[in-house]
Amino acid sequence: MRGRNRLRQLHSSCTLQHRTQPINNLQSSTNTNPYPSKKTLTHNHRTKNKPEPVGDGDIKQWNMAITTHMRNGHYDSALHVFNSMPRRSSVSYNSMISGYLRNGDFGLAREVFDKMPERDLVSWNVMISGYLRNKNLSEARDLFDNMPKRDVVSWNSMLSGYAQNGYVDEARRIFDRMPEKNGISWNGLLSVYVQNGRIAEACKLFESKMDWEMVSWNCLMGGFVKTNKLVEARRLFDRMPMRDEVSWNIMITGYAQNKDLAEAQRLFEKAPVRDVFTWTAMVSGYIHNGMVDEARRTFDAMPEKNTVSWNAMIAGYVQSKKMDTARELFEAMTCRNVSSWNTMITGYAQSGEITHARNLFDKMPWRDSISWAAMIAGYGQSGFSEEALRLFIEMKRDGGRLNRSTFTCVLSVCSNIAALELGNQLHGQLVKVGFEAGCFVGNALLAMYCKCGSVEEAYHAFEEISDKDVVSWNTMIAGYARHGFGKEALMLFDSMKTFGVRPDDVTLVGVLSACSHSGLVDRGTELFNSMKRDYGILANSKHYTCIVDLLGRAGRLDEAQNVMRNMPFEPDAATWGALLGACRIHGNTELGEKAAEVIFDLEPDNAGMYVLLSNLYAASGRWHDVSKMRLKMRDKGVKKVTGFSWLEVQNKIHTFSVGDTRHPERGRIYAYLEELELKMKKDGYVHTTKLVLHDVGEEEKEHMLRYHSEKLAVAYGILSIPAGRPIRVMKNLRVCEDCHNAIKHISKIENRLIILRDNNRFHHFSGGSCSCGDYW
């Protein structure tokens, strides 16, 4: 690949030198040329000033030479032949124009076109088609409107151009203006209606004409299938005067994809001719319905298989998590294409077998953008965020094409590790290629800003999405919720309804969560009670967890218990966890023990719940119970999750653990923290020692709290990030009460905005206070 790219660069540099040659229109060149016949180049020395007339046969050979050079990308040689011609026809000019357009050089094509002594219809049509292929509709339309004469090809070209770019109404206007129409005209308009989901208009057009070609019948039938109108599709199928393999395959695929495998099988057996696509349609249908064994029996019975057949069967095993069987089939496949490799890589990545995925990725004969995106997503989903970013950089270096899927995967990785600086750079690239306005990438960009702690930029990204879907609204509402901006979340929820976007169950989780984090108890309770009545949404376990959390944080523990007793299903571990968290906040040890015991039965390996109950015991001074909890964890093999905090500085992630000694600037960080603690104590800071899970003296407890990971990260941020810029720190666990208190003092002393994301929410520290209002 790299060798071919280098050759292209060298050829390009040579071509640029030759492109400076003028395109001569009226004068012939005296340069000899090796491409035309000897007869053309043979001159009698006695009459060298009077060249022999050039016949049509000789001009054809010159024109063929031009076409050959252009097809091979040799502009310089084609231009040399053109300038050397003693006489030119319109075909000569058209060959040059077509060649330049084929190779993407519209400037030179237009230059030749403008210098033509006489243009024919082909010249105009070739130029229009070239502009349309490059999606330059305005230039194409200008040429079309200036044509002295048009034929059906001219009209069809414009119709096709508008159709391919989604301008359905403009295509129809062209169609209506056509003085004469052929089958291409009718099929083109029908196709554009079907492709854009305007089936009613497609039907009306279809019924206005009797002698449709078979491809048109298949096109409309495919439109019905695509929009799940199987009754209409079957009615059209039964009306068809003749059917080909495509007709049968469309109907079989339609029934199979809509879970009517019995009818698909009947049509399959009734089909007069079964080609490889007919068999593959049945294989895909079984796979689509999760019937992998039936798919394999059909696959094995196929008289002929193509790449699509193999890939469909491999995809079936991948979707069923049968990676060993998928690998056997992949190894037996003799006609692999890039899709085969991508399916296997995706399967391994989604199964957590990232090493197998990378081994296949490294063996690929060539990769497309999907290959890179699958591998990057695999690393991101497996927690190897830095490896995902390294691969993205390698992709760019290797010249890989960045598509929407790749951008979305990398933005997701940035979200996971809060790499805002890299996310900002990606945003710039998205703007450059014009991807940021669409829902698919726009939602990923919005989520990245929300998870990186930049709510203002998140809202700007939200506003830039041209056609917001429910995911866009949900992401922004959830973003406000996690940042504790409950009022903003509720205002956006009201705007969502005003714009006619129907809230779904995810919307209500976001809104209830916003109420919980902001202490909006009455509004949250009102929304929870109106879910079914106003929005037709039945509360699920997540909604109940939110309302229990909302009531519990507010100290209304009896009401929270009543909600749990009246649930239509058993509360899950998350709901009991919300109650336990509320018991820790309000010191209700008895109820906390009850909640914890249920959680230990439901999720015996949930280390976080053991720690939460231990914190409750420690706050009550029940050190014996803290020790018992520690022993219980040891006996059950439950390991406490190590707490980490990290931040991004100059595109690099710096990670800290409690008492970290690995960072290269640890001496500077610890010295600064000691100096800072003196200032904090003068400002009124007192260590919150009640949460230390060890029965030791106060001085020892203070020492244990002094070098928590979030304090180390904040200190490094102050030392490394210029004044005036926010310090954004992320933690994989919940921030402890002592660190929360300390960072409030630090924000005041250093006059810095510090944004901390823990595993539950965001805290914005500024001027000695936190955005949560200590309600967390």
Side-chain angles (χ1 to χ4, degrees):
M1 286 291 292
R2 288 176 179 166
R4 287 203 295 273
N5 288 337
R6 180 61 182 151
L7 286 171
R8 289 193 192 102
Q9 291 171 2
L10 290 169
H11 179 74
S12 177
S13 63
C14 294
T15 304
L16 286 171
Q17 294 173 18
H18 286 281
R19 283 185 189 177
T20 57
Q21 296 182 46
I23 299 173
N24 301 319
N25 289 320
L26 302 175
Q27 294 180 355
S28 64
S29 173
T30 57
N31 293 338
T32 57
N33 192 291
Y35 305 104
S37 65
K38 290 182 180 179
K39 178 180 177 183
T40 307
L41 297 176
T42 303
H43 294 81
N44 190 307
H45 71 279
R46 294 176 183 172
T47 58
K48 63 182 178 180
N49 293 324
K50 297 179 182 180
E52 294 178 9
V54 181
D56 288 343
D58 296 319
I59 289 179
K60 286 180 181 178
Q61 291 185 57
W62 290 84
N63 293 341
M64 285 174 62
I66 292 171
T67 302
T68 301
H69 286 309
M70 282 297 192
R71 282 177 181 167
N72 292 321
H74 301 153
Y75 309 162
D76 52 344
S77 301
L79 182 58
H80 185 60
V81 172
F82 181 80
N83 282 338
S84 301
M85 293 180 72
R87 184 167 67 85
R88 303 177 188 117
S89 65
S90 60
V91 177
S92 314
Y93 286 93
N94 293 340
S95 298
M96 289 296 294
I97 294 169
S98 297
Y100 282 134
L101 290 173
R102 189 182 299 114
N103 290 283
D105 202 322
F106 293 88
L108 288 176
R110 186 59 188 258
E111 185 182 340
V112 175
F113 178 80
D114 289 341
K115 290 183 177 180
M116 285 184 74
E118 186 177 344
R119 304 181 190 108
D120 57 14
L121 259 174
V122 174
S123 317
W124 288 91
N125 289 340
V126 166
M127 273 307 298
I128 288 171
S129 297
Y131 279 126
L132 291 172
R133 278 199 303 273
N134 196 47
K135 302 185 183 300
N136 194 336
L137 289 172
S138 59
E139 289 285 351
R141 185 58 187 260
D142 285 343
L143 276 180
F144 179 80
D145 290 340
N146 288 315
M147 288 181 75
K149 182 182 177 184
R150 306 182 187 103
D151 62 4
V152 72
V153 175
S154 320
W155 289 95
N156 284 341
S157 293
M158 282 308 304
L159 190 154
S160 175
Y162 282 124
Q164 289 171 7
N165 288 278
Y167 294 99
V168 183
D169 295 332
E170 195 60 43
R172 180 61 198 241
R173 280 190 281 273
I174 288 288
F175 179 82
D176 291 338
R177 285 180 56 198
M178 292 179 72
E180 64 170 306
K181 305 174 180 75
N182 59 13
I184 295 173
S185 320
W186 287 91
N187 292 337
L189 186 61
L190 182 72
S191 176
V192 72
Y193 279 142
V194 169
Q195 287 169 6
N196 287 274
R198 293 165 68 161
I199 302 299
E201 289 162 284
C203 290
K204 187 176 178 181
L205 181 72
F206 192 83
E207 297 303 332
S208 70
K209 183 174 180 286
M210 299 297 294
D211 55 336
W212 286 96
E213 299 173 10
M214 192 180 300
V215 67
S216 305
W217 288 84
N218 290 339
C219 175
L220 183 57
M221 188 164 58
F224 283 135
V225 167
K226 188 177 178 182
T227 52
N228 295 321
K229 295 182 178 180
L230 278 184
V231 174
E232 292 85 346
R234 183 57 184 264
R235 194 178 296 134
L236 193 66
F237 178 80
D238 292 337
R239 277 177 55 195
M240 290 182 73
M242 288 183 64
R243 305 182 189 108
D244 61 5
E245 291 93 331
V246 176
S247 318
W248 289 90
N249 294 347
I250 289 171
M251 280 311 306
I252 291 168
T253 300
Y255 282 121
Q257 288 179 350
N258 284 274
K259 300 184 182 300
D260 192 348
L261 286 169
E263 188 59 30
Q265 185 68 40
R266 276 194 290 272
L267 279 180
F268 176 77
E269 291 169 357
K270 192 177 176 182
V273 179
R274 299 177 200 149
D275 61 12
V276 67
F277 299 103
T278 319
W279 285 88
T280 303
M282 283 305 300
V283 171
S284 298
Y286 283 126
I287 288 168
H288 186 73
N289 289 279
M291 303 166 69
V292 182
D293 293 337
E294 290 83 351
R296 182 58 188 263
R297 280 192 286 274
T298 305
F299 177 81
D300 289 339
M302 290 179 71
E304 176 192 358
K305 302 177 182 76
N306 63 8
T307 307
V308 179
S309 320
W310 284 90
N311 287 347
M313 196 63 244
I314 290 171
Y317 283 125
V318 166
Q319 290 165 18
S320 302
K321 306 295 183 187
K322 297 180 178 179
M323 289 307 301
D324 290 341
T325 313
R327 185 62 181 259
E328 288 173 12
L329 210 59
F330 177 78
E331 296 294 347
M333 189 177 177
T334 57
C335 52
R336 294 178 201 146
N337 62 7
V338 70
S339 181
S340 320
W341 292 85
N342 291 345
T343 302
M344 288 299 300
I345 289 168
T346 302
Y348 277 130
Q350 290 177 348
S351 301
E353 300 180 69
I354 199 69
T355 303
H356 287 311
R358 185 57 191 260
N359 287 339
L360 275 183
F361 181 81
D362 290 337
K363 291 177 183 177
M364 289 184 76
W366 69 280
R367 305 174 185 128
D368 63 6
S369 56
I370 297 172
S371 319
W372 290 96
M375 199 63 236
I376 290 168
Y379 275 128
Q381 291 161 5
S382 301
F384 299 103
S385 299
E386 291 189 32
E387 191 60 42
L389 295 180
R390 274 195 289 270
L391 194 63
F392 174 68
I393 293 166
E394 183 184 335
M395 175 188 180
K396 291 179 67 179
R397 192 183 300 125
D398 200 53
R401 179 174 169 267
L402 299 176
N403 63 3
R404 288 177 173 83
S405 181
T406 312
F407 274 115
T408 302
C409 291
V410 181
L411 285 169
S412 177
V413 172
C414 292
S415 300
N416 293 339
I417 62 173
L420 181 61
E421 291 181 30
L422 179 58
N424 276 325
Q425 293 169 21
L426 287 170
H427 190 175
Q429 293 179 38
L430 284 169
V431 172
K432 189 175 180 181
V433 296
F435 284 168
E436 86 285 4
C439 264
F440 184 57
V441 176
N443 290 342
L445 186 67
L446 167 58
M448 184 274 294
Y449 280 126
C450 284
K451 291 180 180 179
C452 288
S454 185
V455 185
E456 288 185 5
E457 288 181 274
Y459 187 73
H460 289 319
F462 173 76
E463 288 286 277
E464 288 297 319
I465 299 174
S466 55
D467 188 17
K468 301 175 185 66
D469 61 6
V470 69
V471 176
S472 314
W473 292 92
N474 289 350
T475 304
M476 194 66 240
I477 289 171
Y480 277 139
R482 283 202 71 185
H483 285 266
F485 301 150
K487 292 180 181 177
E488 289 82 353
L490 290 171
M491 286 173 61
L492 195 66
F493 177 62
D494 290 336
S495 296
M496 177 184 186
K497 293 182 288 183
T498 302
F499 277 94
V501 181
R502 186 174 180 80
D504 60 12
D505 60 322
V506 179
T507 317
L508 270 297
V509 169
V511 174
L512 290 172
S513 177
C515 292
S516 178
H517 285 307
S518 303
L520 303 172
V521 182
D522 293 338
R523 181 76 170 111
T525 306
E526 176 193 333
L527 279 165
F528 179 79
N529 292 329
S530 68
M531 282 173 57
K532 189 174 188 304
R533 182 189 69 234
D534 294 348
Y535 310 110
I537 297 170
L538 288 173
N540 60 31
S541 61
K542 291 182 179 178
H543 300 114
Y544 277 102
T545 299
C546 286
I547 195 67
V548 168
D549 187 57
L550 173 76
L551 294 168
R553 284 176 189 273
R556 293 156 67 166
L557 295 174
D558 290 340
E559 291 180 60
Q561 288 184 84
N562 285 334
V563 168
M564 293 176 69
R565 289 190 196 101
N566 294 320
M567 285 174 65
F569 43 81
E570 287 297 315
D572 61 11
T575 309
W576 283 105
L579 185 63
L580 176 56
C583 292
R584 183 196 66 81
I585 293 170
H586 299 287
N588 192 327
T589 308
E590 183 181 348
L591 182 57
E593 286 179 315
K594 177 185 173 183
E597 287 305 317
V598 178
I599 295 169
F600 297 154
D601 287 338
L602 294 172
E603 292 184 354
D605 297 327
N606 190 334
M609 295 299 107
Y610 288 90
V611 174
L612 203 54
L613 183 57
S614 295
N615 285 338
L616 187 54
Y617 285 143
S620 304
R622 292 171 56 174
W623 298 110
H624 178 66
D625 289 318
V626 172
S627 299
K628 281 173 60 178
M629 196 56 51
R630 194 179 294 118
L631 286 171
K632 190 174 183 178
M633 289 179 69
R634 188 187 67 186
D635 293 343
K636 292 193 173 185
V638 178
K639 293 184 178 180
K640 181 183 175 183
V641 178
T642 304
F644 289 100
S645 297
W646 66 93
L647 75 166
E648 182 189 22
V649 178
Q650 294 182 347
N651 276 343
K652 185 178 179 182
I653 303 298
H654 296 260
T655 306
F656 299 89
S657 59
V658 61
D660 201 299
T661 58
R662 297 168 300 170
H663 196 277
E665 297 187 60
R666 57 188 176 277
R668 184 165 162 244
I669 295 168
Y670 279 88
Y672 172 70
L673 267 180
E674 289 178 12
E675 176 189 330
L676 190 59
E677 185 167 310
L678 294 174
K679 295 179 182 178
M680 288 160 58
K681 287 184 175 179
K682 286 182 181 178
D683 193 50
Y685 165 67
V686 178
H687 284 289
T688 312
T689 57
K690 65 180 182 179
L691 297 179
V692 175
L693 300 182
H694 297 275
D695 187 12
V696 295
E698 287 297 306
E699 188 175 336
E700 182 65 20
K701 288 181 181 180
E702 287 186 11
H703 181 74
M704 289 178 173
L705 294 170
R706 186 170 290 130
Y707 303 118
H708 275 192
S709 64
E710 50 266 62
K711 288 178 184 170
L712 295 173
V714 167
Y716 183 67
I718 292 171
L719 292 171
S720 306
I721 297 172
R725 290 180 57 191
I727 297 163
R728 303 174 195 275
V729 174
M730 312 295 145
K731 187 174 182 182
N732 65 329
L733 302 177
R734 186 185 178 92
V735 62
C736 83
E737 188 176 334
D738 180 69
C739 288
H740 186 272
N741 188 28
I743 297 171
K744 285 196 294 183
H745 286 279
I746 293 170
S747 71
K748 177 183 176 183
I749 293 165
E750 295 294 342
N751 192 27
R752 300 295 294 264
L753 170 62
I754 302 169
I755 300 171
L756 172 65
R757 184 186 90 185
D758 65 13
N759 67 347
N760 189 48
R761 60 165 296 158
F762 278 88
H763 300 266
H764 295 242
F765 300 92
S766 178
S769 62
C770 179
S771 60
C772 72
D774 296 336
Y775 189 84
W776 58 286

